[in-house]
Structure formats: structure tokens, C-alpha cells
């Protein structure tokens, strides 16, 4: 059975980083979700070049933590996409869309992967920090941040077990 991967990120740098991972889901059904409609043609063109079939693309509301109503709209859009498509795996490189997708996906039994932004060399991203308990796999390229997150995840796990 072919796995379905939901690859989700905000537009801009998060999206660029996510696209660099495309070879990892060759052979899977892929659902791309981002906050910019303008990426559609490139996603389809690349999918054809990679012989990926059954590729889907969704554009959701762009929002940040100060735009509460837009965040709520984004949450419902992402929830609907996940409920309708039931991905086996959800992977994100960041920001609000990825945060919501991992939280919802984890509740529905999907495997979840968070790759913290390459730009966050000094501290963890806010979304990455908050989604850590919903990520089956949480990665960063910065060793000192990986160590900090490992400690936080272990502390959170210990609290949840009590």
C-alpha cells in the first residue's frame, strides 16, 4: 500500500527547505500544503519530473501569532485537509501551518516529523518548541539546539507519565 505524505510549510524559507526534501517521499502519494498559491505550477512540474502521481496541492490562509482570526481560519482549513485525506505521515519545516498539522495529525494517528528551521541557530522556533510533544521525530541541524530540545522532550515526557 502506498503511503500518503502531507508536506506542509509556510511560504518563503520554510517552503524552500521543505522542497529540498522531495526525494524522501518519492514513491508516495503527496499532498502539499502552503500559504501561497503561486507555488502550484512549480509543484506540479516537479511532481511530473519525479514521476509522482496523485499529487495534491492546497493553499491555506496565511497567518501569524498576532492574527488570531486568520489563525483560526487556517486551523479549520488544515483540519479539513487532514480529515479528508488521512495522510500516514505529516512533515513540516515550520511555522503555524506545520504546527496545526502536526497537532491534528498526531490526534488522528499519523506519524509526524518536524524539521526546525535552518535559520534558527540561536534558539528554537516558537512553533517547533510548542509542537515538540506532537512530533514523533523532531530534528534540527544545530547540535546545541538538538540537545536543548532533547532535554525539554524528556522533561515533558516525564511530566506526562505522572
Amino acid at each position: 500500500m502506498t503511503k500518503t505524505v502531507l508536506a506542509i510549510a509556510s511560504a518563503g524559507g520554510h517552503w524552500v527547505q521543505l522542497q529540498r526534501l522531495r526525494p524522501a517521499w518519492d514513491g508516495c502519494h503527496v499532498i502539499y500544503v502552503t500559504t501561497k498559491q503561486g507555488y502550484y505550477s512549480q509543484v506540479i512540474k516537479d511532481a511530473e519530473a519525479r514521476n509522482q502521481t496523485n499529487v495534491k496541492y492546497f493553499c491555506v490562509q496565511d497567518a501569524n501569532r498576532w492574527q488570531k482570526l486568520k489563525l483560526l481560519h487556517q486551523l479549520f482549513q488544515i483540519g479539513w485537509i487532514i480529515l479528508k485525506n488521512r495522510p500516514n505521515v505529516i512533515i513540516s519545516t515550520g511555522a503555524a501551518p506545520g504546527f496545526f498539522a502536526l497537532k491534528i495529525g498526531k490526534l488522528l494517528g499519523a506519524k509526524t516529523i518536524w524539521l526546525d528551521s535552518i535559520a534558527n541557530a540561536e534558539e528554537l522556533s516558537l512553533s517547533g518548541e510548542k509542537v515538540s510533544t506532537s512530533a514523533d521525530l523532531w530534528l534540527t541541524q544545530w547540535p546545541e539546539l538538538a540537545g536543548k530540545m532533547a532535554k525539554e522532550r524528556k522533561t515533558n515526557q516525564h511530566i506526562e507519565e505522572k
Side-chain angles (χ1 to χ4, degrees), residues 41-130:
S41 60
Q42 182 59 41
V43 166
I44 298 305
K45 181 180 174 184
D46 182 71
E48 289 172 357
R50 303 182 77 74
N51 293 318
Q52 291 179 339
T53 58
N54 199 22
V55 172
K56 296 180 182 178
Y57 181 91
F58 296 95
C59 183
V60 296
Q61 174 72 55
D62 193 11
N64 63 47
R65 62 182 164 183
W66 297 285
Q67 300 169 314
K68 304 302 185 205
L69 290 176
K70 286 183 177 183
L71 280 172
L72 189 60
H73 185 219
Q74 183 184 81
L75 169 65
F76 286 120
Q77 288 177 308
I78 292 167
W80 177 252
I81 292 166
I82 293 171
L83 283 170
K84 187 175 178 187
N85 293 279
R86 296 292 179 147
N88 304 101
V89 178
I90 298 174
I91 184 167
S92 182
T93 52
F99 170 82
F100 289 138
L102 264 68
K103 289 289 190 181
I104 295 166
K106 188 70 173 175
L107 288 171
L108 297 175
K111 295 295 181 189
T112 56
I113 304 169
W114 181 273
L115 287 93
D116 210 43
S117 175
I118 193 171
N120 294 322
E122 302 292 324
E123 61 184 24
L124 301 168
S125 70
L126 179 63
S127 296
E129 196 171 340
K130 292 195 176 293

Side-chain angles (χ1 to χ4, degrees), residues 30-47:
V30 186
I31 304 161
Y32 292 97
V33 182
T34 189
T35 57
K36 183 176 178 182
Q37 188 61 42
Y39 296 141
Y40 174 78
S41 60
Q42 182 59 41
V43 166
I44 298 305
K45 181 180 174 184
D46 182 71

